[in-house]
Amino acid sequence: MAAHSDHSSDFHQTGDIPKAQTKVIWKTFFILVALTAIEFLFAFTMDAGTLRNSIFIILTIFKAFYIVAEFMHLKHESKALIWSILIPLALLIWLMVALISEGSYYYDSITNYFN
Amino acid sequence: MSTSTTLEAPNTGTWDGGNEPLKASYGKLMMWFFLLSDAFTFGAFLIVYGLSRHSHLPYTGEPEAFTFSTEWWPIPEKVFNAFPGLHGMDLPLAFVALMTMILILSSVTMVLAVEAGHRMDKNDVQKWLLWTILFGATFLGCQAWEWSHFIAGTEEGMVLADGTRIFGANLTVNQYGPPLFADLFFFITGFHGTHVFIGWTLLVIAFISTVNGVYHKRGHYEMVEKIGLYWHFVDLVWVFVFTFFYLI
């Protein structure tokens, strides 16, 4: 043990280590667990459909917000950084609308015109 | 070299390079923009899942009467209902719930390691990194089981029109539904699993460096913070994979 403490004194700590501030971290964790639990509640008690899917997607966006804002600390970065990350993601919305309507159109074509 | 000190003095004027609009270090910015590009890759994967699902027949009958068929897209609850050690029991989404919890927990221990790094608390960084490594390895083990179960298939398999049965799934044959469903399962969860594995390797390297005091000597734990960003992103992707692949 003596050798070990000699070794660690190589990187001398100036002053005491401050106490951990973990309140926000655990609060975010419980929010994420609660949102996941709600998702499971809906998965088992509600019939599948557009309404249930919308609930899932809204809850997912909430979970994503808490992970990115608190865990990845983006909420506390500069406005310029926040927007330079978020604005390009809007392109995904366009891709989603384009490709999902393309899929629906394809399905519609093969079921209505080739039977 | 002493003559070069005037060149290295930081410029403070707004138009002399003294302006920092993003107020983040080079390394963190690069990690953010890499993650943005990775978000496009995963986004494209999940959107292609949506495209494939919309171009196939949905299952419209009663959920109780559901059977596997290449005619319609399967209900995820009927595909992912197995749990290790509980053979033959119908436990819809139970195992994926466990995997989700493990990954969220690993994200929490990661952010605790980053917080300890801000306080230059080497022991706490070590402790939380080790927990994150443990949860990360558990998640990868769960995914390996999930894959081997998916590949091996169920006892009943799928009955084809000519009466023969097929079991399990690969890239061309799929007992759970259209072959595209299995392809997307392998690509999306596989690509995510690869990310988890890369993140896990980085965490092990960061843990060894922390134990050796590399970051302490450097005076900051920014490397832990950057790996943390990547690790949280992997958790974020799983949140979306979970919703779009397992719930909807």
Side-chain angles (χ1 to χ4, degrees), chain A residues 61-111:
Chain A
I61 290 167
F62 271 111
K63 282 206 285 187
F65 169 78
Y66 279 104
I67 292 171
V68 176
E70 291 298 341
F71 284 177
M72 297 172 89
H73 217 255
L74 190 62
K75 204 171 122 188
H76 311 283
E77 302 287 355
S78 75
K79 280 254 153 51
L81 178 51
I82 295 174
W83 290 118
S84 45
I85 297 300
L86 292 184
I87 290 172
L89 289 175
L91 288 169
L92 281 177
I93 297 169
W94 166 73
L95 186 67
M96 194 154 68
V97 172
L99 287 198
I100 287 177
S101 51
E102 185 71 18
S104 303
Y105 174 76
Y106 174 80
Y107 171 69
D108 209 43
S109 306
I110 55 162
T111 44

Side-chain angles (χ1 to χ4, degrees), chain A residues 11 13 17-22 25 29 39-40 44 53 60 71-72 78 80-81 85 88 99 103-104 106-107, chain B residues 21-22 36 40 47 51 54-55 57 92 97 108 111-112 115 119-121 216-217 229 232 236 242-243 248:
Chain A
F11 342 105
Q13 186 80 40
I17 295 167
K19 260 188 88 68
Q21 303 289 328
T22 56
I25 298 171
F29 168 69
E39 281 183 335
F40 275 101
F44 293 124
N53 288 351
T60 304
F71 284 177
M72 297 172 89
S78 75
L81 178 51
I85 297 300
L99 287 198
S104 303
Y106 174 80
Y107 171 69
Chain B
L22 301 182
L36 179 64
F40 282 118
I47 290 167
L51 168 101
H54 277 256
S55 60
L57 183 71
V108 172
V111 79
L112 287 168
E115 195 271 343
R119 295 182 289 111
M120 295 301 288
D121 188 339
H216 214 97
K217 271 185 237 164
L229 279 178
H232 296 312
L236 178 72
F242 172 65
T243 301
I248 289 181

Side-chain angles (χ1 to χ4, degrees), chain B residues 133-156:
Chain B
I133 289 167
L134 181 80
F135 287 130
T138 315
F139 181 85
L140 282 173
C142 289
Q143 206 157 46
W145 186 88
E146 177 105 325
W147 267 51
S148 58
H149 179 82
F150 192 82
I151 292 166
T154 59
E155 264 166 25
E156 301 80 29

Side-chain angles (χ1 to χ4, degrees), chain B residues 42-201:
Chain B
F42 276 110
F45 265 140
L46 285 172
I47 290 167
V48 167
Y49 178 83
L51 168 101
S52 313
R53 195 170 175 165
H54 277 256
S55 60
H56 281 79
L57 183 71
Y59 179 74
T60 46
E62 286 296 307
E64 290 77 23
F66 177 81
T67 49
F68 294 133
S69 163
T70 48
E71 290 287 308
W72 51 70
W73 204 258
I75 303 176
E77 285 164 43
K78 303 291 174 186
V79 179
F80 305 104
N81 62 352
F83 201 92
L86 298 169
H87 185 74
M89 285 172 74
D90 178 39
L91 299 161
L93 305 179
F95 193 56
V96 75
L98 180 72
M99 285 167 72
T100 305
M101 285 310 303
I102 290 167
L103 211 57
I104 291 177
L105 258 177
S106 84
S107 233
V108 172
T109 56
M110 186 71 236
V111 79
L112 287 168
V114 172
E115 195 271 343
H118 285 307
R119 295 182 289 111
M120 295 301 288
D121 188 339
K122 188 184 155 190
N123 288 339
D124 263 19
V125 175
Q126 268 167 234
K127 177 177 82 179
W128 293 121
L129 277 183
L130 205 55
W131 277 110
T132 314
I133 289 167
L134 181 80
F135 287 130
T138 315
F139 181 85
L140 282 173
C142 289
Q143 206 157 46
W145 186 88
E146 177 105 325
W147 267 51
S148 58
H149 179 82
F150 192 82
I151 292 166
T154 59
E155 264 166 25
E156 301 80 29
M158 181 203 277
V159 188
L160 296 179
D162 59 1
T164 56
R165 282 169 192 268
I166 50 169
F167 301 94
N170 54 42
L171 290 176
T172 50
V173 178
N174 175 16
Q175 76 149 78
Y176 307 101
L180 205 50
F181 175 76
D183 297 347
L184 287 160
F185 174 82
F186 290 128
F187 274 103
I188 294 173
T189 66
F191 200 57
H192 176 262
T194 310
H195 275 73
V196 178
F197 180 69
I198 293 167
W200 188 83
T201 314

